[in-house]
mmCIF file of all heavy atoms in Angstrom:
data_model
loop_
_atom_site.group_PDB
_atom_site.id
_atom_site.type_symbol
_atom_site.label_atom_id
_atom_site.label_comp_id
_atom_site.label_asym_id
_atom_site.label_seq_id
_atom_site.Cartn_x
_atom_site.Cartn_y
_atom_site.Cartn_z
ATOM 1 N N GLY A 320 57.664 11.178 -116.058
ATOM 2 C CA GLY A 320 57.591 9.929 -115.315
ATOM 3 C C GLY A 320 56.759 8.892 -116.054
ATOM 4 O O GLY A 320 57.143 7.720 -116.157
ATOM 5 N N LEU A 321 55.627 9.333 -116.613
ATOM 6 C CA LEU A 321 54.757 8.422 -117.351
ATOM 7 C C LEU A 321 55.449 7.917 -118.604
ATOM 8 O O LEU A 321 55.370 6.737 -118.944
ATOM 9 C CB LEU A 321 53.467 9.146 -117.732
ATOM 10 C CG LEU A 321 52.476 9.286 -116.586
ATOM 11 C CD1 LEU A 321 51.504 10.413 -116.865
ATOM 12 C CD2 LEU A 321 51.729 7.964 -116.406
ATOM 13 N N ALA A 322 56.134 8.838 -119.309
ATOM 14 C CA ALA A 322 56.818 8.447 -120.533
ATOM 15 C C ALA A 322 57.918 7.438 -120.206
ATOM 16 O O ALA A 322 58.101 6.456 -120.927
ATOM 17 C CB ALA A 322 57.399 9.684 -121.221
ATOM 18 N N ALA A 323 58.627 7.657 -119.091
ATOM 19 C CA ALA A 323 59.696 6.731 -118.704
ATOM 20 C C ALA A 323 59.105 5.364 -118.375
ATOM 21 O O ALA A 323 59.665 4.321 -118.735
ATOM 22 C CB ALA A 323 60.457 7.297 -117.506
ATOM 23 N N ALA A 324 57.924 5.357 -117.717
ATOM 24 C CA ALA A 324 57.266 4.096 -117.392
ATOM 25 C C ALA A 324 56.853 3.373 -118.679
ATOM 26 O O ALA A 324 56.936 2.149 -118.769
ATOM 27 C CB ALA A 324 56.052 4.363 -116.508
ATOM 28 N N LEU A 325 56.420 4.140 -119.674
ATOM 29 C CA LEU A 325 56.031 3.537 -120.949
ATOM 30 C C LEU A 325 57.245 2.903 -121.623
ATOM 31 O O LEU A 325 57.144 1.846 -122.245
ATOM 32 C CB LEU A 325 55.403 4.594 -121.871
ATOM 33 C CG LEU A 325 54.015 5.098 -121.464
ATOM 34 C CD1 LEU A 325 53.597 6.289 -122.311
ATOM 35 C CD2 LEU A 325 52.982 3.979 -121.591
ATOM 36 N N LEU A 326 58.406 3.561 -121.488
ATOM 37 C CA LEU A 326 59.641 3.022 -122.067
ATOM 38 C C LEU A 326 59.996 1.704 -121.377
ATOM 39 O O LEU A 326 60.286 0.703 -122.034
ATOM 40 C CB LEU A 326 60.779 4.037 -121.909
ATOM 41 C CG LEU A 326 62.182 3.545 -122.276
ATOM 42 C CD1 LEU A 326 62.269 3.215 -123.764
ATOM 43 C CD2 LEU A 326 63.228 4.593 -121.926
ATOM 44 N N ALA A 327 59.910 1.717 -120.047
ATOM 45 C CA ALA A 327 60.268 0.523 -119.280
ATOM 46 C C ALA A 327 59.370 -0.641 -119.658
ATOM 47 O O ALA A 327 59.805 -1.793 -119.696
ATOM 48 C CB ALA A 327 60.167 0.833 -117.784
ATOM 49 N N ALA A 328 58.083 -0.330 -119.990
ATOM 50 C CA ALA A 328 57.125 -1.387 -120.290
ATOM 51 C C ALA A 328 57.037 -1.663 -121.791
ATOM 52 O O ALA A 328 56.126 -2.339 -122.243
ATOM 53 C CB ALA A 328 55.751 -0.994 -119.741
ATOM 54 N N SER A 329 57.950 -1.121 -122.552
ATOM 55 C CA SER A 329 57.825 -1.201 -124.008
ATOM 56 C C SER A 329 58.069 -2.605 -124.541
ATOM 57 O O SER A 329 57.681 -2.914 -125.662
ATOM 58 C CB SER A 329 58.811 -0.233 -124.671
ATOM 59 O OG SER A 329 60.137 -0.685 -124.446
ATOM 60 N N GLY A 330 58.729 -3.439 -123.747
ATOM 61 C CA GLY A 330 58.977 -4.796 -124.192
ATOM 62 C C GLY A 330 60.106 -4.897 -125.210
ATOM 63 O O GLY A 330 60.245 -5.912 -125.893
ATOM 64 N N LEU A 331 60.888 -3.850 -125.331
ATOM 65 C CA LEU A 331 61.995 -3.897 -126.289
ATOM 66 C C LEU A 331 63.201 -4.562 -125.630
ATOM 67 O O LEU A 331 63.391 -4.441 -124.421
ATOM 68 C CB LEU A 331 62.374 -2.474 -126.705
ATOM 69 C CG LEU A 331 61.417 -1.822 -127.689
ATOM 70 C CD1 LEU A 331 61.657 -0.326 -127.734
ATOM 71 C CD2 LEU A 331 61.563 -2.432 -129.070
ATOM 72 N N PRO A 332 64.008 -5.254 -126.419
ATOM 73 C CA PRO A 332 65.196 -5.891 -125.832
ATOM 74 C C PRO A 332 66.136 -4.851 -125.229
ATOM 75 O O PRO A 332 66.205 -3.717 -125.709
ATOM 76 C CB PRO A 332 65.852 -6.593 -127.028
ATOM 77 C CG PRO A 332 65.246 -5.974 -128.241
ATOM 78 C CD PRO A 332 63.887 -5.493 -127.856
ATOM 79 N N ALA A 333 66.820 -5.240 -124.185
ATOM 80 C CA ALA A 333 67.661 -4.316 -123.433
ATOM 81 C C ALA A 333 68.750 -3.702 -124.300
ATOM 82 O O ALA A 333 69.186 -2.575 -124.060
ATOM 83 C CB ALA A 333 68.289 -5.026 -122.235
ATOM 84 N N GLU A 334 69.150 -4.425 -125.353
ATOM 85 C CA GLU A 334 70.270 -3.906 -126.138
ATOM 86 C C GLU A 334 69.795 -2.970 -127.262
ATOM 87 O O GLU A 334 70.607 -2.454 -128.026
ATOM 88 C CB GLU A 334 71.107 -5.056 -126.713
ATOM 89 C CG GLU A 334 70.397 -5.933 -127.740
ATOM 90 C CD GLU A 334 69.505 -7.011 -127.097
ATOM 91 O OE1 GLU A 334 69.269 -6.948 -125.866
ATOM 92 O OE2 GLU A 334 69.038 -7.893 -127.832
ATOM 93 N N ALA A 335 68.474 -2.752 -127.349
ATOM 94 C CA ALA A 335 67.954 -1.900 -128.429
ATOM 95 C C ALA A 335 68.579 -0.509 -128.366
ATOM 96 O O ALA A 335 68.830 0.032 -127.286
ATOM 97 C CB ALA A 335 66.435 -1.796 -128.322
ATOM 98 N N ARG A 336 68.812 0.054 -129.562
ATOM 99 C CA ARG A 336 69.337 1.421 -129.627
ATOM 100 C C ARG A 336 68.329 2.277 -130.380
ATOM 101 O O ARG A 336 67.586 1.788 -131.225
ATOM 102 C CB ARG A 336 70.692 1.430 -130.319
ATOM 103 C CG ARG A 336 71.740 0.641 -129.545
ATOM 104 C CD ARG A 336 73.064 0.627 -130.265
ATOM 105 N NE ARG A 336 73.808 1.873 -130.092
ATOM 106 C CZ ARG A 336 74.565 2.143 -129.031
ATOM 107 N NH1 ARG A 336 74.669 1.272 -128.054
ATOM 108 N NH2 ARG A 336 75.216 3.279 -128.947
ATOM 109 N N PHE A 337 68.323 3.567 -130.053
ATOM 110 C CA PHE A 337 67.262 4.422 -130.573
ATOM 111 C C PHE A 337 67.827 5.612 -131.340
ATOM 112 O O PHE A 337 68.801 6.222 -130.909
ATOM 113 C CB PHE A 337 66.388 4.932 -129.419
ATOM 114 C CG PHE A 337 65.754 3.822 -128.650
ATOM 115 C CD1 PHE A 337 66.380 3.271 -127.538
ATOM 116 C CD2 PHE A 337 64.554 3.284 -129.072
ATOM 117 C CE1 PHE A 337 65.818 2.226 -126.840
ATOM 118 C CE2 PHE A 337 63.972 2.240 -128.376
ATOM 119 C CZ PHE A 337 64.602 1.709 -127.259
ATOM 120 N N ARG A 338 67.180 5.925 -132.459
ATOM 121 C CA ARG A 338 67.616 7.098 -133.226
ATOM 122 C C ARG A 338 66.700 8.288 -132.978
ATOM 123 O O ARG A 338 67.044 9.412 -133.302
ATOM 124 C CB ARG A 338 67.732 6.797 -134.718
ATOM 125 C CG ARG A 338 66.508 6.151 -135.361
ATOM 126 C CD ARG A 338 66.745 5.854 -136.835
ATOM 127 N NE ARG A 338 66.638 7.057 -137.639
ATOM 128 C CZ ARG A 338 67.636 7.588 -138.336
ATOM 129 N NH1 ARG A 338 68.819 7.026 -138.318
ATOM 130 N NH2 ARG A 338 67.445 8.667 -139.044
ATOM 131 N N LEU A 339 65.519 8.021 -132.447
ATOM 132 C CA LEU A 339 64.576 9.120 -132.231
ATOM 133 C C LEU A 339 63.685 8.820 -131.045
ATOM 134 O O LEU A 339 63.328 7.661 -130.802
ATOM 135 C CB LEU A 339 63.723 9.301 -133.498
ATOM 136 C CG LEU A 339 62.573 10.316 -133.460
ATOM 137 C CD1 LEU A 339 62.377 10.911 -134.856
ATOM 138 C CD2 LEU A 339 61.258 9.712 -132.990
ATOM 139 N N ALA A 340 63.320 9.855 -130.322
ATOM 140 C CA ALA A 340 62.316 9.708 -129.266
ATOM 141 C C ALA A 340 61.395 10.921 -129.315
ATOM 142 O O ALA A 340 61.803 12.010 -129.752
ATOM 143 C CB ALA A 340 62.972 9.598 -127.896
ATOM 144 N N GLY A 341 60.155 10.726 -128.894
ATOM 145 C CA GLY A 341 59.209 11.839 -128.861
ATOM 146 C C GLY A 341 58.232 11.652 -127.717
ATOM 147 O O GLY A 341 57.930 10.518 -127.320
ATOM 148 N N VAL A 342 57.742 12.757 -127.197
ATOM 149 C CA VAL A 342 56.720 12.708 -126.149
ATOM 150 C C VAL A 342 55.555 13.572 -126.621
ATOM 151 O O VAL A 342 55.767 14.713 -127.054
ATOM 152 C CB VAL A 342 57.257 13.230 -124.801
ATOM 153 C CG1 VAL A 342 56.142 13.310 -123.767
ATOM 154 C CG2 VAL A 342 58.383 12.341 -124.299
ATOM 155 N N GLY A 343 54.358 13.020 -126.569
ATOM 156 C CA GLY A 343 53.187 13.761 -127.048
ATOM 157 C C GLY A 343 52.095 13.815 -125.998
ATOM 158 O O GLY A 343 51.989 12.926 -125.145
ATOM 159 N N LEU A 344 51.300 14.867 -126.090
ATOM 160 C CA LEU A 344 50.140 15.014 -125.215
ATOM 161 C C LEU A 344 48.908 15.122 -126.089
ATOM 162 O O LEU A 344 48.909 15.836 -127.090
ATOM 163 C CB LEU A 344 50.285 16.283 -124.367
ATOM 164 C CG LEU A 344 51.417 16.261 -123.339
ATOM 165 C CD1 LEU A 344 51.653 17.653 -122.785
ATOM 166 C CD2 LEU A 344 51.084 15.292 -122.216
ATOM 167 N N SER A 345 47.846 14.406 -125.720
ATOM 168 C CA SER A 345 46.604 14.489 -126.490
ATOM 169 C C SER A 345 45.437 14.184 -125.569
ATOM 170 O O SER A 345 45.609 14.127 -124.362
ATOM 171 C CB SER A 345 46.667 13.524 -127.672
ATOM 172 O OG SER A 345 46.888 12.218 -127.204
ATOM 173 N N GLY A 346 44.263 13.953 -126.162
ATOM 174 C CA GLY A 346 43.080 13.686 -125.347
ATOM 175 C C GLY A 346 42.725 14.907 -124.520
ATOM 176 O O GLY A 346 42.591 14.841 -123.303
ATOM 177 N N PHE A 347 42.589 16.039 -125.200
ATOM 178 C CA PHE A 347 42.373 17.287 -124.479
ATOM 179 C C PHE A 347 40.980 17.340 -123.863
ATOM 180 O O PHE A 347 40.012 16.892 -124.471
ATOM 181 C CB PHE A 347 42.575 18.482 -125.408
ATOM 182 C CG PHE A 347 43.981 18.559 -125.920
ATOM 183 C CD1 PHE A 347 44.248 18.421 -127.264
ATOM 184 C CD2 PHE A 347 45.034 18.732 -125.046
ATOM 185 C CE1 PHE A 347 45.545 18.471 -127.732
ATOM 186 C CE2 PHE A 347 46.327 18.789 -125.501
ATOM 187 C CZ PHE A 347 46.592 18.660 -126.853
ATOM 188 N N ALA A 348 40.920 17.916 -122.692
ATOM 189 C CA ALA A 348 39.685 17.909 -121.911
ATOM 190 C C ALA A 348 38.536 18.578 -122.650
ATOM 191 O O ALA A 348 37.412 18.107 -122.624
ATOM 192 C CB ALA A 348 39.928 18.601 -120.580
ATOM 193 N N ASP A 349 38.798 19.677 -123.348
ATOM 194 C CA ASP A 349 37.690 20.392 -123.979
ATOM 195 C C ASP A 349 37.113 19.635 -125.159
ATOM 196 O O ASP A 349 36.001 19.891 -125.590
ATOM 197 C CB ASP A 349 38.119 21.806 -124.396
ATOM 198 C CG ASP A 349 39.458 21.816 -125.077
ATOM 199 O OD1 ASP A 349 40.134 20.778 -125.023
ATOM 200 O OD2 ASP A 349 39.811 22.840 -125.649
ATOM 201 N N GLU A 350 37.880 18.676 -125.708
ATOM 202 C CA GLU A 350 37.323 17.882 -126.805
ATOM 203 C C GLU A 350 36.333 16.870 -126.273
ATOM 204 O O GLU A 350 35.288 16.645 -126.844
ATOM 205 C CB GLU A 350 38.434 17.139 -127.539
ATOM 206 C CG GLU A 350 39.224 18.050 -128.424
ATOM 207 C CD GLU A 350 40.496 17.394 -128.896
ATOM 208 O OE1 GLU A 350 40.684 16.193 -128.675
ATOM 209 O OE2 GLU A 350 41.303 18.117 -129.480
ATOM 210 N N ALA A 351 36.702 16.275 -125.150
ATOM 211 C CA ALA A 351 35.822 15.283 -124.556
ATOM 212 C C ALA A 351 34.469 15.917 -124.258
ATOM 213 O O ALA A 351 33.435 15.296 -124.374
ATOM 214 C CB ALA A 351 36.443 14.731 -123.283
ATOM 215 N N GLY A 352 34.483 17.221 -123.915
ATOM 216 C CA GLY A 352 33.268 17.911 -123.539
ATOM 217 C C GLY A 352 32.239 17.975 -124.648
ATOM 218 O O GLY A 352 31.054 18.071 -124.393
ATOM 219 N N ASP A 353 32.720 17.899 -125.889
ATOM 220 C CA ASP A 353 31.823 18.090 -127.011
ATOM 221 C C ASP A 353 30.696 17.054 -127.059
ATOM 222 O O ASP A 353 29.582 17.356 -127.443
ATOM 223 C CB ASP A 353 32.622 18.066 -128.311
ATOM 224 C CG ASP A 353 32.008 18.982 -129.338
ATOM 225 O OD1 ASP A 353 31.532 20.063 -128.934
ATOM 226 O OD2 ASP A 353 31.965 18.606 -130.508
ATOM 227 N N ASP A 354 31.027 15.837 -126.669
ATOM 228 C CA ASP A 354 30.009 14.790 -126.712
ATOM 229 C C ASP A 354 28.937 15.022 -125.657
ATOM 230 O O ASP A 354 27.827 14.532 -125.765
ATOM 231 C CB ASP A 354 30.649 13.439 -126.452
ATOM 232 C CG ASP A 354 31.662 13.127 -127.525
ATOM 233 O OD1 ASP A 354 31.411 13.505 -128.677
ATOM 234 O OD2 ASP A 354 32.685 12.531 -127.200
ATOM 235 N N LEU A 355 29.304 15.748 -124.621
ATOM 236 C CA LEU A 355 28.376 15.960 -123.520
ATOM 237 C C LEU A 355 27.423 17.110 -123.824
ATOM 238 O O LEU A 355 26.398 17.271 -123.190
ATOM 239 C CB LEU A 355 29.165 16.276 -122.243
ATOM 240 C CG LEU A 355 30.176 15.201 -121.839
ATOM 241 C CD1 LEU A 355 31.019 15.676 -120.674
ATOM 242 C CD2 LEU A 355 29.455 13.916 -121.474
ATOM 243 N N GLN A 356 27.824 17.938 -124.796
ATOM 244 C CA GLN A 356 27.032 19.115 -125.112
ATOM 245 C C GLN A 356 25.868 18.749 -126.035
ATOM 246 O O GLN A 356 26.080 18.175 -127.100
ATOM 247 C CB GLN A 356 27.921 20.163 -125.792
ATOM 248 C CG GLN A 356 27.172 21.364 -126.343
ATOM 249 C CD GLN A 356 26.535 22.208 -125.248
ATOM 250 O OE1 GLN A 356 27.195 22.642 -124.314
ATOM 251 N NE2 GLN A 356 25.232 22.435 -125.372
ATOM 252 N N GLY A 357 24.664 19.081 -125.607
ATOM 253 C CA GLY A 357 23.488 18.793 -126.410
ATOM 254 C C GLY A 357 23.438 19.625 -127.678
ATOM 255 O O GLY A 357 24.051 20.675 -127.754
#
Side-chain angles (χ1 to χ4, degrees):
Chain A
L321 282 159
L325 289 171
L326 171 65
S329 68
L331 284 164
E334 66 278 11
R336 297 178 78 83
F337 301 91
R338 52 182 283 116
L339 175 149
V342 174
L344 293 168
S345 58
F347 297 116
D349 45 348
E350 284 167 9
D353 213 38
D354 298 324
L355 303 173
Q356 172 66 54

